[in-house]
Amino acid sequence: NVRKDALAAAQSGMAEAKSLWDQASSAQAAGNWSDAVASAQQAKTRVDALRAELKPPTKGRGGGELG
């Protein structure tokens, strides 16, 4: 289960990632590939971090939690 505060933080993080992606799209449309790639990479990093934060722990063979 996801706590309300974790969900709110995830929603905020997704808004940040969307903003970064919008910046990447605008930079690409303007032909500024280096800024487009940098913004896209930042957006991906943010989404990956959010995914890791929201991923529920899983049980391994020994009953311990796996990352």
Side-chain angles (χ1 to χ4, degrees):
N1 293 339
V2 177
R3 295 186 331 262
K4 287 183 182 181
D5 58 333
L7 182 58
Q11 289 171 329
S12 175
M14 282 304 297
E16 179 184 346
K18 183 184 181 317
S19 176
L20 287 165
W21 189 257
D22 290 344
Q23 290 174 26
S25 296
S26 294
Q28 184 272 332
N32 189 342
W33 290 97
S34 61
D35 284 351
V37 169
S39 292
Q41 288 173 331
Q42 288 176 335
K44 181 187 181 308
T45 298
R46 187 66 186 120
V47 169
D48 288 346
L50 288 169
R51 195 177 92 220
E53 291 171 14
L54 293 175
K55 182 179 178 184
T58 57
K59 298 286 183 180
R61 281 182 169 181
E65 293 184 358
L66 301 175

